[in-house]
Amino acid sequence: MNNQGLFYFLLCVWLIAMTSCGSSPVGTAAPGKLATASTPDTSNWPSSFAFGHTASASYIDSIDIDIAPDGKGLPAGSGTATEGQTVYAVKCAACHGKTGAEGPFQKLVGAMGDTTKAKTIGNYWPYATTLYDYIRRAMPFNEPGSLTNAEVYQLTAYLLHANQIIDATTVIDAGSLPQVQMPARALFVNDDRKGGPEIR
Amino acid sequence: MSTSDNHQPEPGAGKKIHRRTILGAAASAVAIALVKSSGGQLVPAAVPAATPVAKAGAPVVPADATKVQGAVHGTLGTRSGFEQLKKKPTDTSSRSPLQDFHGIITPSDLHFERSHGGVPVIDPLKFELLIHGMVDRPMVFTLRDLKRFPSVSRIAFLECSGNFRGNKEEMTPQDICGLTSQAEWTGVMLSTLFREVGIHPKATWFLAEGSDAAVMTRSVPIHKGWEDAMIAYGQNGEALRPEQGYPARLFLPGWEGNTNVKWIRRIEVGDKPWMTREETSKYTEPIKDGKIRQFSFDMDARSIITFPSFPQQVEKGWIEIRGLAWSGRGKVVKVEVSTDAGKHWQTARLQEPVLDKAHTYFRYLWPWDGRATEIASRVTDDTGYTQPTMQQLLQARGRDMGGYHLNPVTAWVIKGDGRVLFKPEKWK
């Protein structure tokens, strides 16, 4: 690609990026911002520097552990609150309390509207899939990443039930978890600050 | 620091003792001892026999520094033993001593820290950054790869969005808002890597993931990646400190600290946010009408007077009021200082350089008449935004206002006897 071609290619990429962000309420970029001092002059750059190597599908699979709100990334397996109670008692209760409402760290349980002042799964978490994603990647604190997929499903079910969001027998799996409606979901709004004189 | 650093090791690292030293030793009853230099090697040092025993940790001062040889030069520089600069750590964060800074660059060992699973040890030779998802070519970059790309440097601040404490008078700038710091960051622009992998035209977000014990993740709008995001591997001219993400981190100028994912290992390009734990249950803030504000990326403009501040004591007469001002949205255009509890505001002098999304140093010369008063600063940035008072924030966000993105005007009470106390801001 010659320089002019590259310029138009980048312009297109940029315009598309800007346009698609326009539909996102959090997009804040102004057109002039692209020409900041920190942006390199790419006019004499090759189309590729050919540094780095192509990632294999197996490598990507080995570390791509995120779970999207639509359930993308959820593994096979399932769990119920009843199963999760045992895992919770052994691996979680020491930090989060006997029922999840006590702490000392991160009170997890407190249904929407109850008297707790803590931000709990029941009154503050907008997506159920976040539970699976976070528990699997970061918990338990003293042994992060050690839980089996089944244990994570079981704990997810246990915590949803403890927060009065599902009943004790609901099977949580890749199909049902994204369908769980979280009570706090409707409270979330995108950032409305945008600089200028107005205080928000 | 060991007290021996402040003795006077002889040049020559033990190979040869200069005649002058021996003469000096003879003349002033100086003993020669092997001590550890600042670089760690044993070197002979002239230890004046008459040196008084100092308190633990304090430098030993010779009676006359012109009459004994000074220290030899170690492999690392040292901070004067008279300067007791310290971060204030908790289990999960560590605050910068803003009141001790004379300029806009935060010394790397005093940069604030925040982590969600501690500070990991990453082997730079095994470091890899994967970029995949809605891309033409999913790719892996080693640290060496990253360093081969065209590089950029920029000086910019980094601030945690949960950076306001204000419940009592005995608080220092470090206590109030020490989770902000500034460095010169060097790395490769993320847009440069985006060119290499080819971003799908419909991509609108990317996920950044760290390789710490929390495997911490944040979703970032893709426009930030094209605009000014950087994969940084340099901090103030050297490699990143481990606490800042060694060997490489995401750096998003002006955006809340948590999005600047450290120890970065993976970027996934997509068309929706992932709704990770940090961007839903943590770095979000209750506002009016029971709503919770999410994806509050920009750090609004803020300033604080760092001198005089608690626990300093001032004297009647001329005082140069000093402080820091910054905005995540652009440049500082004005800092105003009030010395009469907000009745009148005067324009402070800004110290160059005044940089985009950067701590800016300001000064205002004030003849204090010795009467009790309050001093405060407020900044205006180039979007026309002026730092609000806590009351203005409460009016805008309501009584249930959350603890993130609080940037209120910060006032100091000057007592008639010269004591300086923070003016507490309680809102709950």
Side-chain angles (χ1 to χ4, degrees):
Chain A
M1 197 182 293
N2 62 25
N3 285 349
Q4 197 178 22
L6 179 61
F7 172 78
Y8 283 114
F9 168 75
L10 287 174
L11 185 67
C12 284
V13 168
W14 177 74
L15 282 173
I16 289 160
M18 290 299 113
T19 309
S20 48
C21 283
S23 62
S24 158
V26 299
T28 55
K33 289 286 186 186
L34 196 66
T36 58
S38 62
T39 306
D41 174 10
T42 59
S43 57
N44 63 346
W45 285 17
S47 60
S48 169
F49 287 95
F51 304 152
H53 62 271
T54 303
S56 69
S58 62
Y59 176 66
I60 295 171
D61 286 347
S62 72
I63 68 167
D64 180 8
I65 57 170
D66 55 75
I67 310 298
D70 63 4
K72 182 169 170 281
L74 282 169
S78 66
T80 63
T82 310
E83 294 162 346
Q85 189 156 22
T86 316
V87 185
Y88 180 87
V90 174
K91 302 198 171 182
C92 316
C95 285
H96 298 293
K98 193 178 170 198
T99 70
E102 302 86 356
F105 298 105
Q106 299 296 334
K107 295 173 183 172
L108 305 175
V109 173
M112 183 66 87
D114 79 6
T115 56
T116 184
K117 287 184 177 173
K119 292 175 180 174
T120 66
I121 292 163
N123 68 23
Y124 206 87
W125 286 50
Y127 295 90
T129 46
T130 310
L131 270 173
Y132 191 98
D133 177 277
Y134 182 71
I135 295 168
R136 184 169 68 163
R137 74 174 57 239
M139 290 289 116
F141 189 81
N142 61 337
E143 215 176 346
S146 63
L147 300 170
T148 66
N149 288 341
E151 286 174 323
V152 178
Y153 274 123
Q154 291 160 6
L155 286 170
T156 301
Y158 172 79
L159 290 169
L160 290 171
H161 173 60
N163 280 284
Q164 300 171 30
I165 296 165
I166 63 169
D167 63 39
T169 58
T170 302
V171 175
I172 290 297
D173 59 18
S176 62
L177 184 59
Q179 306 302 319
V180 173
Q181 291 300 309
M182 298 296 278
R185 172 77 178 276
L187 306 179
F188 279 76
V189 293
N190 277 309
D191 187 17
D192 61 348
R193 300 168 307 138
K194 53 192 174 193
E198 196 179 359
I199 305 301
R200 287 171 179 260
Chain B
M1 177 187 287
S2 71
T3 54
S4 62
D5 288 351
N6 303 289
H7 286 252
Q8 297 76 35
E10 162 68 23
K15 285 179 186 161
K16 184 178 160 189
I17 294 172
H18 289 200
R19 186 167 169 267
R20 196 156 57 112
T21 304
I22 297 167
L23 291 176
S28 59
V30 172
I32 304 292
L34 281 176
V35 298
K36 250 186 191 161
S37 78
S38 53
Q41 72 270 46
L42 284 175
V43 294
V47 184
T51 299
V53 176
K55 277 188 285 184
V60 176
V61 183
D64 182 348
T66 69
K67 297 294 189 286
V68 290
Q69 296 303 317
V72 293
H73 306 288
T75 54
L76 292 174
T78 58
R79 186 166 284 133
S80 166
F82 293 104
E83 299 297 322
Q84 298 298 317
L85 297 174
K86 285 191 171 73
K87 293 185 285 99
K88 267 198 179 176
T90 67
D91 285 348
T92 55
S93 70
S94 189
R95 311 170 81 81
S96 269
L98 303 182
Q99 64 280 352
D100 295 325
F101 298 156
H102 299 297
I104 58 172
I105 297 291
T106 307
S108 296
D109 60 351
L110 296 169
H111 197 290
F112 91 86
E113 299 161 16
R114 174 77 175 95
S115 66
H116 295 72
V119 179
V121 180
I122 313 286
D123 182 343
L125 297 177
K126 291 180 179 161
F127 170 89
E128 288 182 330
L129 171 61
L130 167 66
I131 305 184
H132 71 115
M134 292 174 69
V135 300
D136 297 334
R137 298 170 295 280
M139 294 190 72
V140 175
F141 302 101
T142 63
L143 187 63
R144 186 168 171 273
D145 293 331
L146 293 180
K147 289 180 176 175
R148 291 176 77 190
F149 282 104
S151 58
V152 293
S153 294
R154 87 177 277 173
I155 294 170
F157 78 94
L158 181 61
E159 183 181 16
C160 177
S161 54
N163 191 26
F164 179 75
R165 304 282 182 280
N167 58 349
K168 59 177 183 181
E169 292 180 319
E170 297 81 16
M171 294 181 77
T172 66
Q174 183 172 24
D175 298 324
I176 297 161
C177 60
L179 298 177
T180 186
S181 295
Q182 176 149 290
E184 182 202 50
W185 303 96
T186 299
V188 51
M189 297 304 292
L190 188 54
S191 59
T192 301
L193 301 179
F194 278 3
R195 283 175 87 248
E196 293 294 319
V197 298
I199 301 294
H200 192 285
K202 289 189 174 166
T204 49
W205 290 81
F206 67 87
L207 181 77
E209 182 177 85
S211 53
D212 56 330
V215 204
M216 211 204 74
T217 44
R218 280 297 301 257
S219 304
V220 179
I222 202 125
H223 75 77
K224 186 68 172 174
W226 288 114
E227 188 183 320
D228 61 1
M230 180 192 288
I231 301 295
Y233 48 75
Q235 177 189 1
N236 293 340
E238 62 173 330
L240 295 183
R241 295 289 170 117
E243 300 85 352
Q244 296 306 322
Y246 182 86
R249 76 176 306 167
L250 181 62
F251 185 69
L252 303 178
W255 281 23
E256 66 178 2
N258 182 250
T259 61
N260 294 251
V261 174
K262 299 187 278 193
W263 314 290
I264 191 162
R265 74 170 195 182
R266 187 168 71 94
I267 288 175
E268 182 171 353
V269 178
D271 59 4
K272 290 183 285 293
W274 278 257
M275 301 297 176
T276 72
R277 182 246 200 185
E278 309 304 332
E279 66 207 21
T280 54
S281 75
K282 292 296 156 189
Y283 293 88
T284 55
E285 58 271 6
I287 52 172
K288 270 186 177 166
D289 304 322
K291 296 294 183 187
I292 300 166
R293 192 158 66 194
Q294 190 182 22
F295 298 124
S296 310
F297 295 118
D298 296 274
M299 297 305 298
D300 278 327
R302 186 170 191 179
S303 70
I304 184 169
I305 292 172
T306 55
F307 179 85
S309 62
F310 176 80
Q312 296 148 0
Q313 181 111 13
V314 291
E315 292 171 54
K316 185 176 170 180
W318 289 100
I319 294 172
E320 186 174 69
I321 294 172
R322 300 165 181 159
L324 290 168
W326 61 98
S327 169
R329 297 184 189 274
K331 285 184 183 174
V332 167
V333 295
K334 184 172 66 174
V335 175
E336 295 165 290
V337 168
S338 173
T339 56
D340 59 2
K343 292 184 199 67
H344 302 88
W345 294 85
Q346 293 84 29
T347 306
R349 282 183 302 133
L350 300 183
Q351 172 67 58
E352 289 187 330
V354 179
L355 299 169
D356 192 40
K357 302 173 183 175
H359 281 176
T360 300
Y361 208 84
F362 68 85
R363 300 183 177 93
Y364 178 74
L365 199 53
W366 173 49
W368 182 42
D369 60 10
R371 281 183 291 193
T373 188
E374 282 175 33
I375 60 170
S377 64
R378 69 181 182 202
V379 60
T380 300
D381 71 15
D382 61 5
T383 73
Y385 176 93
T386 298
Q387 184 181 10
T389 62
M390 185 62 93
Q391 276 310 311
Q392 287 176 298
L393 286 170
L394 281 166
Q395 278 167 17
R397 302 180 190 175
R399 301 301 307 180
D400 294 328
M401 177 172 77
Y404 293 108
H405 291 281
L406 296 182
N407 58 330
V409 168
T410 301
W412 301 100
V413 176
I414 313 282
K415 298 287 193 186
D417 61 4
R419 279 180 305 134
V420 183
L421 295 169
F422 172 61
K423 187 182 180 188
E425 297 278 6
K426 290 174 188 164
W427 82 97
K428 276 187 179 171

